[in-house]
Amino acid sequence: MKVLVMGATGYVGGRLVPRLVEGGHEVRCLSRRPAKVRDVPWADSVEVLAGDALQRESLDPAMEGVDVVFYLVHSIGSGAHFEESDRRAARNTADAAGAAGVQRIIYLGGLVPTGEAASAHLASRAEVGQIFLDGTVPAVVLQAGIIIGSGSASFEMLRYLTERLPVMVTPKWVRSLVQPIAVRDVLTYLVGSVDLPPGTNRRFDISGPDIVSYREMMQRYAAVAGLAPRVIVPVPVLSPWLSSQWVNVVTPVPKAIAQPLIGSLRNNSVAHEHDIEALIPFALCPLDEAVRLALESIRRGRVVTRWSGAQWPGAPSDPMPTDPSWSGGTVYRDERSAPIDADVDVADVWRAVEGIGGDRGWYSFPLAWAIRGLMDRLAGGVGLRRGRRDPNRLEIGDAVDFWRVEAIERPRRLRLRAEMKLPGDAWLEFTIADDGGRPTLEQRAFFIPRGLPGHLYWWSISPFHNVVFGSMIRNIAAGAEASASPGAGADRAGR
């Protein structure tokens, strides 16, 4: 069967695609930036087309000849008006699927509470599901609560709060009930939905076997992780808004994502029916086992996808710092180079470059980077706590602390785009040249200011560039040379 996956570069989509390929399906992926799919292990097994759910005309080529559409797109984190973006993207998709003669749309949404007002986030997910159910193409709308898996936003919030706060003063939402589901079970339901009876057009609740409060879930996480029981004191005065500020500081999930998620915690998230269990029967993963599997993946550095890798609909696709269209504007640059010992090959230098960020740090003044990350979090940015999906290998679209991989040409070039709060746009690029058999590491920082604040920002930090950028390139070069020595490790530099 020919399937189209919309949202293939997201947390669930990036895990679903290889499952579909293994199941013998012909898979097409739609992405605003097809280059993001270039480095994933399954890239050669799928067809990738450029398109945007918010651009109706871009969907027609993607839908051509397709039997089933997986819709895994949502706009949480994209701004205050994410509901409108979700609505428009869903309508565009339903219209295009109907025009192309698609047989089924499969959508993954959230568990919708009954008898209580849904949060803005859950209400939007429910509205998207209804748009598909009201369309001309039959839709299977799967409604899930918290997804437990390495790299999911909900799981990382749970993990960081539980591990970092042995004593918590929490809002009353810790008493809300939730029925979490393992990510592998979500994938099984998604794949199985392809073979549901023709014409099926309805919602299905999907959930794991355990119903717990958020408080109990944190305690059970602590037990699986080998932590002492947490002291959790619920109080009625902490609002969801205050909770999101707290989550923004303690966890790697930024306020733009934490706020709508926290707003949903006041709702009970429990399945109201289990009809799909008879249609797609298998043994569901218990909560404790799901947590154990997630932690094992994290500890082994095998996080396949992360919430931070998603690209929100409507996010800008801005030009790159080498575009000729910028020749007439102001582009500030800091450019440096460092020759490497002749007995060090390009692969050694590349390992040091590709391993930057996350637990290894930024090869210069860890305290200064930590302060910059904290300032960014307090300003509503992503900060440094996003870390990396994989400690050694990067792919286009990966988040690296408050940067994102924009270009990678292994083993010669890596370009990172800043996602911190800035009065302009910034990039950091590393290039490895090999002239005459001796590698040279070239490091370039670009900044395009927005208005007077942007110019003032650049000139205010310029005095620190020799310290930060100068030590960075020296320590990367030293790390590469150390890695070429017997028994040495590339992550020594800057530690």
Side-chain angles (χ1 to χ4, degrees):
M1 189 168 291
K2 190 164 189 175
V3 301
L4 171 67
V5 180
M6 300 176 66
T9 58
Y11 175 71
V12 173
R15 301 183 183 216
L16 173 65
V17 170
R19 291 278 294 264
L20 292 169
V21 171
E22 291 169 6
H25 298 289
E26 183 181 351
V27 181
R28 176 183 292 164
C29 300
L30 185 73
S31 176
R32 294 180 66 241
R33 294 185 59 196
K36 288 184 66 175
V37 184
R38 189 189 69 188
D39 294 328
V40 298
W42 40 265
D44 293 336
S45 303
V46 303
E47 178 187 7
V48 182
L49 296 183
D52 185 345
L54 293 176
Q55 304 296 326
R56 170 64 179 82
E57 65 279 2
S58 73
L59 299 181
D60 291 332
M63 299 283 182
E64 185 176 352
V66 165
D67 301 302
V68 175
V69 172
F70 284 92
Y71 188 83
L72 305 173
V73 175
H74 61 92
S75 302
I76 184 174
S78 64
H81 304 292
F82 69 88
E83 301 100 322
E84 174 54 33
S85 295
D86 276 340
R87 186 179 302 120
R88 184 153 58 95
R91 286 174 177 166
N92 286 343
T93 302
D95 290 346
V102 170
Q103 298 173 21
R104 170 167 293 163
I105 295 173
I106 300 173
Y107 167 60
L108 178 62
L111 279 171
V112 182
T114 58
E116 54 182 307
S119 68
H121 166 57
L122 288 177
S124 177
R125 304 302 292 274
E127 181 185 14
V128 168
Q130 195 59 48
I131 288 171
F132 290 135
L133 293 171
D134 292 340
T136 59
V137 177
V140 174
V141 176
L142 302 181
Q143 301 184 145
I146 285 184
I147 296 177
I148 302 295
S150 59
S152 82
S154 298
F155 181 74
E156 292 208 3
M157 285 171 56
L158 168 68
R159 179 165 73 101
Y160 276 80
L161 289 173
T162 307
E163 290 186 354
R164 295 189 173 189
L165 299 174
V167 178
M168 288 179 260
V169 177
T170 61
K172 60 183 180 181
W173 54 252
V174 294
R175 300 190 184 101
S176 298
L177 296 179
V178 62
Q179 199 164 0
I181 182 170
V183 65
R184 68 177 188 177
D185 292 350
V186 173
L187 297 174
T188 300
Y189 279 130
L190 284 166
V191 174
S193 294
V194 172
D195 297 319
L196 289 177
T200 301
N201 188 64
R202 58 161 291 184
R203 301 177 189 270
F204 291 97
D205 290 349
I206 61 173
S207 61
D210 300 277
I211 299 176
V212 295
S213 67
Y214 287 104
R215 180 176 184 169
E216 182 183 351
M217 186 164 59
M218 286 189 278
Q219 297 289 19
R220 289 175 67 168
Y221 174 93
V224 174
L227 304 172
R230 308 289 92 172
V231 177
I232 302 173
V233 182
V235 296
V237 295
L238 290 179
S239 68
W241 182 86
L242 284 173
S243 297
S244 66
Q245 312 305 311
W246 163 49
V247 169
N248 177 59
V249 173
V250 176
T251 81
V253 181
K255 183 171 62 177
I257 297 176
Q259 195 160 335
L261 289 179
I262 290 290
S264 301
L265 299 185
R266 61 181 170 82
N267 294 126
N268 290 312
S269 185
V270 177
H272 301 287
E273 49 83 18
H274 303 276
D275 295 351
I276 199 167
E277 294 179 11
L279 297 170
I280 307 175
F282 64 96
L284 290 164
C285 182
L287 172 60
D288 292 354
E289 176 66 6
V291 170
R292 187 192 66 78
L293 291 171
L295 289 176
E296 183 178 354
S297 295
I298 293 169
R299 288 164 181 164
R300 293 186 177 184
R302 296 177 181 174
V303 181
V304 180
T305 58
R306 285 188 80 211
W307 60 271
S308 56
Q311 184 176 0
W312 318 119
S317 295
D318 291 331
M320 298 178 180
T322 51
D323 283 357
S325 60
W326 290 1
S327 58
T330 299
V331 182
Y332 291 114
R333 294 176 173 86
D334 182 280
E335 300 180 279
R336 302 169 189 270
S337 64
I340 311 295
D341 285 350
D343 58 349
V344 178
D345 61 28
V346 169
D348 294 317
V349 185
W350 178 255
R351 276 194 295 272
V353 169
E354 192 174 12
I356 199 167
D359 290 339
R360 289 190 176 96
W362 290 88
Y363 294 94
S364 63
F365 295 92
L367 179 60
W369 284 94
I371 292 172
R372 183 64 183 88
L374 178 60
M375 292 171 59
D376 191 58
R377 297 288 290 193
L378 294 176
V382 295
L384 284 177
R385 290 203 184 100
R386 290 194 303 185
R388 296 170 48 121
R389 178 189 57 82
D390 186 291
N392 300 310
R393 182 178 174 85
L394 294 175
E395 298 171 359
I396 290 176
D398 273 357
V400 186
D401 296 325
F402 48 38
W403 304 84
R404 189 173 296 276
V405 179
E406 187 171 76
I408 187 167
E409 297 172 12
R410 195 173 279 105
R412 296 289 181 179
R413 185 167 70 107
L414 172 66
R415 184 170 66 238
L416 306 174
R417 178 171 186 152
E419 293 191 339
M420 69 212 47
K421 294 289 186 179
L422 289 171
D425 299 295
W427 290 260
L428 182 61
E429 184 175 75
F430 301 94
T431 304
I432 304 170
D434 188 9
D435 297 325
R438 182 175 184 178
T440 298
L441 176 62
E442 298 173 351
Q443 175 184 289
R444 289 180 288 273
F446 301 87
F447 181 71
I448 301 176
R450 285 197 299 268
L452 180 60
H455 292 275
L456 294 175
Y457 172 81
W458 177 264
W459 289 112
S460 69
I461 64 172
S462 291
F464 303 100
H465 285 174
N466 281 334
V467 177
V468 175
F469 289 138
S471 61
M472 177 185 289
I473 191 169
R474 288 193 301 271
N475 287 332
I476 293 175
E481 292 167 354
S483 71
S485 302
D491 61 342
R492 270 177 209 179
R495 295 292 295 193

